[in-house]
């Protein structure tokens, strides 16, 4: 039993946690290995994050699996990441299903190899009736592109008379995003000690708590995740109001 987990208040959990999984390459290099070695050894960290969310009933977990900028990495590394994604989906599909999790995928999926798309669609279809929680994989994802596509689609709908300009507000805009069916992000975690967002869920994290950890992703454990939740619960989320206003609600 985790002592850290025991500190968590089950009445004050984030609905949506997002993680920038960073540090695989540095983890591998610190061991005298190639970057791809780090990616292959990051699977346990992914399991730890998924299992931790599942254990304390956090309904949405989004993992930054592959960014739109990652396509510019060396071809060998990209190929390894794509192959690893397929292998992981094959190995983990049954466990994701058995945990009652529903898997979603967001991003520019047209750029993915056919085999990767097929495996993703297979797991999405397999889990579509599950209701225990939601695992969202951001693959070939870039937030700026997501926002631009939303603007283009809204503009097209305005031109065609489907949307009136005066009706464009935050809620309507969100309905054009990949994440339209998900709640906003409450907690964003980034590993590896880097302090930046890297084009990830820029709209969705508007009022998220941000935690930057000096831990390389392959070393990420359930207890580290649970500590992030405890730290999150020790924050006062004000959404632009004063502390006194929040207490008076």
């Amino acid at each position: 039993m985790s002592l850290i987990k025991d500190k968590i208040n089950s009445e004050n959990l984030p609905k949506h946690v997002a993680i920038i999984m960073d540090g695989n390459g540095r983890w591998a290099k610190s061991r005298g290995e190639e970057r791809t070695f780090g990616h292959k050894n990051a699977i346990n960290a992914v399991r730890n994050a998924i299992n931790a969310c599942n254990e304390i009933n956090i309904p949405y977990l989004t993992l930054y699996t592959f960014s739109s900028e990652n396509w510019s990495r060396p071809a060998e590394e990209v190929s390894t990441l794509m192959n690893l994604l397929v292998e992981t989906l094959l190995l983990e599909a049954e466990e994701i299903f058995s945990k009652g999790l529903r898997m979603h995928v967001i991003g520019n999926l047209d750029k993915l190899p056919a085999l990767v798309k097929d495996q993703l669609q297979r797991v999405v279809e397999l889990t579509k009736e599950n209701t225990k929680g939601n695992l969202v994989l951001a693959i070939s994802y870039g937030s700026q592109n997501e926002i631009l596509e939303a603007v283009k689609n809204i503009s097209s709908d305005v031109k065609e008379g489907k949307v009136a300009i005066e009706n464009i507000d935050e809620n309507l805009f969100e309905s054009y995003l990949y994440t339209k069916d998900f709640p906003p992000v409450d907690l964003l975690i980034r590993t590896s000690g880097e302090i930046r967002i890297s084009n990830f869920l820029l709209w969705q994290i508007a009022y998220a708590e941000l935690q930057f950890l000096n831990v390389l992703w392959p070393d990420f454990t359930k207890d580290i995740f649970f500590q992030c939740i405890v730290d999150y619960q020790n924050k006062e989320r004000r959404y632009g109001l004063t502390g006194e206003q929040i207490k008076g609600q």
Side-chain angles (χ1 to χ4, degrees), residues 72-103:
S72 300
R73 290 191 174 187
E76 181 183 356
E77 182 174 351
V78 171
S79 177
T80 297
L81 284 167
M82 291 295 111
N83 290 334
L84 186 60
L85 180 56
V86 171
E87 291 172 13
T88 302
L89 288 168
L90 287 170
L91 289 171
E92 303 296 327
E94 186 175 340
E95 185 169 358
I96 292 171
F97 176 79
S98 66
K99 281 183 165 59
L101 303 178
R102 181 178 180 181
M103 196 178 86

Side-chain angles (χ1 to χ4, degrees), residues 150-151 154 158 163-177 203:
V151 170
I154 292 172
V158 168
V163 172
I165 290 178
E166 58 269 22
N167 291 335
I168 298 174
D169 59 11
E170 290 92 339
N171 290 331
L172 184 137
F173 186 83
E174 286 174 358
S175 73
Y176 284 79
L177 297 175
W203 177 278

Side-chain angles (χ1 to χ4, degrees), residues 57-84:
N57 298 315
I58 291 176
Y60 288 86
L61 172 66
T62 297
L63 300 178
Y64 204 4
T65 308
F66 190 87
S67 75
S68 53
E69 291 76 22
N70 286 158
W71 291 112
S72 300
R73 290 191 174 187
E76 181 183 356
E77 182 174 351
V78 171
S79 177
T80 297
L81 284 167
M82 291 295 111
N83 290 334
L84 186 60

Side-chain angles (χ1 to χ4, degrees), residues 172-188:
L172 184 137
F173 186 83
E174 286 174 358
S175 73
Y176 284 79
L177 297 175
Y178 295 139
T179 54
K180 61 183 181 294
D181 296 322
F182 313 146
V185 176
D186 296 306
L187 172 62
L188 173 69

